[in-house]
Amino acid sequence: MNADIFLVPPRQSIKLKDYNSAYTGEFKNKKEAKEKLKSDIKKLSKLQDILFASSTYSVLVILQAMDAAGKDGLIKHVMSGLNPQGCQVYSFKVPSEEELKHDYMWRCINKLPERGHIGIFNRSYYEEVLVVKVHPELLNRQNLPLSSPTDSEIIWKMRYEQINNFEKYLFENGTIIIKFFLHLSKDEQKNRFLKRIDIQEKNWKFSLGDIKEREFWEDYQKAYEDMLSNTSTPYAPWYILPADNKWYTRLAAAQIIISKLESLNLSYPKTTEEHLKELEKAKILLENEDGLT
Ligand code: ATP
Ligand code: MG
């Protein structure tokens, strides 16, 4: 699989209609994909081990999508082979009162992964140019300084720039940022909502609010297009993953994370001369101990 086809080239204006949300490449069905995902998960687990041991970089995976696009399932399946000690997931919901007292990046900064760790943001500061753009009245939640721009076009431009600068800073300080937009069709969202309504075990995943947001579908698509066109950068690229087939979304995501980690050429920390001497000494001690028993 050539995952580069999902990459949003920097400074390129994209239209989501040009991307096929049902694309599955050379894979025809879930069964075919299953074995590949299994081996990818093993690979990912090995790479995570080296990432953890070398403790130089951190990896931040950002997931954004419309409701029911499969963010939760992706996290569950792709990350299933990882060592939980080196992996954290944060789901960002409607900001709390305390969070609203701070700048919009604050709550996310607090949850950034440390070196050696993989952090997953299930939604993120990007909500500030998505849901807030679709519902601009949300801008009034905070007491912003009088000097803040009021022209909404300026606000979004300013936010794209702030986000790009912030991600550049993170990249330059050792955070590898991978951003996935799960591209779901409106029809497939409807199918998934209906399942959530019809299947009792899935009822808890559904709320009437989901239908309300669906009414803003076109506005969201436009907000996503603007976000993707303005914030895909060489240091923090966006990938548009086809999301009508969950099994394919997971394969593509795993593939991209694997190639990113491989490109870092990480290795286990070298054993220093001094440490080597210590190891030899310890071995002798242990062997002698064995001899005594
Ligand atoms: P699910 O797929 O299970 O529905 P979810 O990520 O949609 O998962 P919810 O609790 O349904 O989780 O929704 C979280 C809500 O929080 C979303 O509607 C999202 O737009 C909203 N949200 C997240 N960040 C912000 C923000 N900064 N400002 C306003 N709303 C936000
Ligand atoms: Mg939801």
Side-chain angles (χ1 to χ4, degrees), residues 67 71-72 92-95 107 123 127-128 131 141:
D67 277 312
K71 293 183 277 99
D72 291 351
F92 293 99
K93 308 282 181 186
V94 175
R107 64 175 180 163
R123 302 187 187 270
E127 290 291 324
E128 294 287 334
V131 64
R141 296 170 299 185

Side-chain angles (χ1 to χ4, degrees), residues 1 24-29 32-34 36 247-248 251:
M1 180 193 300
T24 60
E26 69 269 36
F27 295 90
K28 290 199 184 58
N29 53 47
E32 276 186 23
K34 216 172 160 188
K36 174 86 172 76
W247 50 268
Y248 188 76
L251 264 190

Side-chain angles (χ1 to χ4, degrees), residues 65-72 91-95 100 104 107 122-128 131-132 138 141 196 204-205 207 210 213 220:
M66 296 299 285
D67 277 312
K71 293 183 277 99
D72 291 351
S91 299
F92 293 99
K93 308 282 181 186
V94 175
L100 284 174
Y104 69 86
R107 64 175 180 163
N122 182 354
R123 302 187 187 270
S124 64
Y125 43 84
Y126 279 102
E127 290 291 324
E128 294 287 334
V131 64
V132 183
L138 290 174
R141 296 170 299 185
R196 290 180 178 191
W204 65 275
K205 287 190 184 183
S207 75
D210 293 344
E213 285 314 286
Y220 271 109

